[in-house]
Amino acid sequence: MNLPDVRPAVRALSDDTIATRRDLHRYAELSTEERRTQRVILDRLRAIGAEDVRACADTGATALIRGKLPGPNILWRADIDGLPLQEETGLPFACDGATVMHACGHDGHVAIALAIAAILQQSRATLAGSVRFAFQPAEEHVGGAQRMIDDGVLSSPPVDRVFGFHIWAPARVGQAVVTAGPVFAASTHFRIIIRGQGGHASAPHTAVDPIVVAAHAVVALQTVVSRAVNPEETAVLTIGRIQGGVRGNIIPNEVMMSGTIRTFERDVQERVVERATQVLTGVTAAWGAAFQFDTSTLPAVVNDPACASLAAGAAAALLGPENVLEGRTTGGDDMAYFLERAPGAYVMLGGRDPERGDVWPHHHPKFDFDERCLDIGVELGLRIIESATRS
Ligand SMILES: [Zn+2]
Ligand SMILES: [Zn+2]
C-alpha cells in the first residue's frame, strides 16, 4: 500500500463512515440477534467486491481482501452488538423507543472496519498478503469470538496476526492506548449456592439458615483480594447478585449468589478462585451448611509485545508519540480468544470529545463518542495493517 494515498481515501469515505455508524446506532441489536446489522455488513462487503463474503457464527459476517503481492494473513476483528439499555443520549440518531443501545462503541467498530475493507479492496495491487475481516456478534453476552473461530475464521487462509480496535471513552479523541501484555482482564463469572436446611423462622435452632451463612460468606470473600493477593497485583471480586428466601417467616433451603472475578495474570486468577473455595469451605463448615461453587473464565486479552510495538509505532507516526498512551482495564473482551490463537494487538482508540465536560462511561445510557475518532481509526487501522504486512 502506498501510505501517502491513504488519507484522501479516508477523507473521501468520511461522510459514509459517519452515516454507517449512525445507521447502525439507530438500529442497534442485542447479542445473537444482530440480523439487520449482519445484513448491512454483508451488503457492504459484497458491494465493494470483497472475496468470500459470508455469514459466520450465525449473526456475524466475514470477508477476505486478498492483496496481489505475497505476504502474511492478517485478521481484523470488529464486534457488532449492542446492549439492553434505554438510550438517554438525546442524539438525533438515538435508538428511540427500543431498549437496545450501542453503549460500548461497537457501531463505530463496524463503521471503521467497513471503511478499512473498502480502501484495502481499492489498494489490492499494492497490498502484500491478505486481510480477513471478522465482524463478530455477541461480544457483550454469550461469546461470539469462539463461535467465529469454530466457524473457521482463523483458518482459510491461516491467520498470522490479529488486530482490532476498541473505541475508548476514557482517552480523548486523537489518542490511542497501546499496551504490551494483558490489556483487558480475565473475567471469571461465578455462581455460589449455599445449601442449608429450611424451617420455621421462629425456630432457627432446628434449621441451618443459609441466609446467615451467605452473609458471612459475602464478608469473608471480600478478604480474598485484600489478604491473599499481592498488593502489586490486580484483582477484583464482586458479588453482584444474591437471592434467597420467599418470606420473612420462612428459613429457606438455599441462597444463590453470583459475581465476577477480574485479574490480569493466570496465577492470580487461580489463587483467587482457590482462596474463595477455601473461604466457602470454612464458612459453610462452621454452620453445617454445604456449598456449590461454579466458575467459568474468559481469558485476559493479551497483546503480543512485537505487535503492540508495531501498533504503537503506527499510532505515534499518525498521532504523535505524546498521544500514544499505555494502560489497561479490568473490563473483559472476548478478543482474548483470537489473541490466544495468533499474536496480535488490541488497540484502544480515544473517543472522548475534549470539549465536552460530561464523560459517560461505556455501558451508560448516555455513552457517546466523538465521531472524529472514526477517520482516525480508519487511517490508523490501515497503517497498522500496512506495517504488519511489511514486517
Ligand atoms: Zn461493552
Ligand atoms: Zn465493547
Side-chain angles (χ1 to χ4, degrees):
M1 270 189 299
N2 189 356
L3 272 182
D5 289 338
V6 164
R7 188 162 297 172
V10 174
R11 291 241 170 92
L13 269 184
S14 185
D15 289 348
D16 187 58
T17 306
I18 290 172
T20 302
R21 181 261 163 158
R22 292 182 179 187
D23 174 70
L24 293 167
H25 191 93
R26 186 186 293 277
Y27 300 105
E29 293 173 302
L30 289 175
S31 309
T32 74
E33 296 174 14
E34 307 96 330
R35 298 277 170 208
R36 180 187 180 277
T37 308
Q38 179 189 46
R39 208 164 49 241
V40 169
I41 295 166
L42 289 172
D43 287 350
R44 293 287 294 275
L45 292 169
R46 287 193 189 103
I48 63 169
E51 267 183 59
D52 192 26
V53 178
R54 59 184 159 90
C56 191
D58 191 26
T59 49
T62 185
L64 186 73
I65 310 289
R66 201 188 295 270
K68 302 280 190 208
L69 307 174
N73 304 310
I74 309 294
L75 182 109
W76 189 274
R77 181 269 205 170
D79 46 5
I80 70 172
D81 51 334
L83 286 155
L85 282 171
Q86 179 85 55
E87 182 160 356
E88 295 174 14
T89 59
L91 291 167
F93 51 92
C95 200
D96 280 340
T99 50
V100 188
M101 177 189 171
H102 268 298
C104 202
H106 300 186
D107 46 350
H109 302 172
V110 175
I112 290 170
L114 285 172
I116 291 174
I119 294 169
L120 283 177
Q121 177 71 10
Q122 295 162 6
S123 316
R124 275 180 306 148
T126 54
L127 175 64
S130 69
V131 183
R132 159 77 60 191
F133 285 85
F135 290 92
Q136 184 211 304
E139 187 282 322
E140 299 287 4
H141 190 54
V142 181
Q146 188 59 52
R147 291 179 182 190
M148 292 211 89
I149 293 167
D150 294 344
D151 266 3
V153 82
L154 291 175
S155 56
S156 55
V159 164
D160 298 305
R161 290 185 189 173
V162 175
F163 293 95
F165 287 142
H166 204 301
I167 290 173
W168 203 240
R172 68 174 165 73
V173 69
Q175 293 179 323
V177 185
V178 193
T179 309
V183 57
F184 278 67
S187 171
T188 299
H189 174 76
F190 63 81
R191 194 173 80 124
I192 299 165
I193 296 174
I194 307 278
R195 292 208 171 86
Q197 186 189 309
H200 200 290
S202 67
H205 60 291
T206 65
V208 176
D209 187 348
I211 288 184
V212 172
V213 181
H216 280 270
V218 168
V219 175
L221 285 168
Q222 290 311 305
T223 65
V224 171
V225 171
S226 71
R227 304 293 88 176
V229 175
N230 183 331
E232 292 180 12
E233 310 261 29
T234 300
V236 176
L237 187 158
T238 294
I239 292 166
R241 184 176 176 201
I242 178 162
Q243 197 172 28
V246 288
R247 265 175 72 170
N249 63 355
I250 302 170
I251 292 172
N253 275 323
E254 61 183 43
V255 168
M256 190 282 290
M257 303 187 277
S258 64
T260 189
I261 294 163
R262 303 296 168 102
T263 50
F264 289 106
E265 308 296 339
R266 188 181 294 267
D267 62 326
V268 178
Q269 191 268 344
E270 288 169 356
R271 175 130 185 83
V272 170
V273 170
E274 183 193 328
R275 281 296 295 151
T277 306
Q278 289 169 344
V279 164
L280 289 166
T281 304
V283 168
T284 52
W287 278 275
F291 75 98
Q292 185 182 328
F293 183 35
D294 298 315
T295 63
S296 68
T297 299
L298 167 68
V301 175
V302 181
N303 285 344
D304 170 71
C307 293
S309 164
L310 177 155
L318 178 65
L319 308 170
E322 69 281 9
N323 288 314
V324 184
L325 317 173
E326 285 191 6
R328 54 191 197 174
T329 169
T330 48
D333 195 302
D334 67 0
M335 177 71 165
Y337 290 115
F338 294 113
L339 289 169
E340 276 191 338
R341 303 287 288 268
Y346 200 32
V347 172
M348 284 123 107
L349 190 66
R352 178 163 56 85
D353 177 350
E355 307 295 309
R356 237 165 57 181
D358 54 342
V359 180
W360 301 102
H362 291 258
H363 294 204
H364 189 281
K366 291 185 177 171
F367 171 83
D368 187 25
F369 60 83
D370 185 329
E371 286 177 330
R372 285 177 294 179
C373 77
L374 298 174
D375 278 3
I376 293 171
V378 178
E379 186 165 353
L380 179 56
L382 288 164
R383 284 172 178 259
I384 289 171
I385 289 166
E386 207 263 350
S387 179
T389 51
R390 258 194 294 120
S391 57

